[in-house]
Amino acid sequence: MVNTEKFVNRLNRIIKFYDLSAASFADKIEVGRSSISHILSGRNKPSLDFVMKVVKTFPEVELYWLLNGKGHFPKEDEIENSPPSGERQKTETENVPKSRPSKMAIFDPEQQRKSGSSKAIKKIVIFYEDGTFDAFEN
């Protein structure tokens, strides 16, 4: 579950990083200005569509960082590979390991049984680049 207060802090950080007003941010991600206002005030929680529009519009924003604060903003590879710009400001990154797995782990129910794990999968959600997703529940 997303902590709304911390999500709002990360959203404000993105807005400040790009030197935008809330209204211009809303225009850039193509959502109503009232939607941004309601999210920033804590009245509404962000929808999946909203989150995906932010990630798609601003490639420096990592999905997992935006949702739960794990990762970096801006993305490390974007910082290293981009020339200095008047629009960009240096920001702090959260302390997380620099190494990332190159491939996602594949669930193997047989290996789970052999390992004696008593954990059961409740739900799997797959997010696609076009902003859609599939959810599978056990």
Side-chain angles (χ1 to χ4, degrees):
M1 177 158 268
V2 175
N3 179 319
T4 306
E5 184 179 326
K6 290 181 180 179
F7 178 89
V8 168
N9 290 339
R10 289 188 291 273
L11 194 58
N12 277 320
R13 188 168 161 186
I14 293 167
I15 292 169
K16 185 176 180 180
F17 178 82
Y18 289 103
D19 196 27
L20 299 170
S21 66
S24 60
F25 182 79
D27 293 343
K28 272 202 178 287
I29 64 170
E30 299 177 349
V31 299
R33 292 178 177 187
S34 62
S35 297
I36 295 291
S37 174
H38 292 209
I39 290 170
L40 292 176
S41 71
R43 176 181 170 193
N44 293 352
K45 292 184 179 186
S47 67
L48 176 61
D49 183 52
F50 176 87
V51 170
M52 295 310 293
K53 284 182 178 186
V54 172
V55 172
K56 189 174 183 180
T57 305
F58 300 101
E60 291 87 356
V61 178
E62 290 183 348
L63 175 63
Y64 295 109
W65 175 82
L66 181 58
L67 291 176
N68 59 28
K70 295 180 181 175
H72 300 274
F73 175 73
K75 285 183 182 177
E76 285 184 332
D77 57 340
E78 296 291 336
I79 294 171
E80 294 168 3
N81 296 329
S82 62
S85 166
E87 288 184 13
R88 297 192 143 212
Q89 303 172 11
K90 287 189 176 183
T91 60
E92 295 177 24
T93 56
E94 308 216 4
N95 292 329
V96 294
K98 301 242 183 219
S99 61
R100 296 181 189 145
S102 59
K103 294 183 180 179
M104 292 176 56
I106 298 173
F107 173 69
D108 181 359
E110 186 60 34
Q111 182 157 353
Q112 184 182 23
R113 278 191 286 278
K114 287 179 184 176
S115 70
S117 175
S118 61
K119 292 182 180 180
I121 294 177
K122 181 177 179 181
K123 187 176 193 177
I124 296 174
V125 181
I126 300 172
F127 295 96
Y128 298 99
E129 288 183 352
D130 66 356
T132 61
F133 68 97
D134 288 321
F136 303 93
E137 294 192 45
N138 193 4

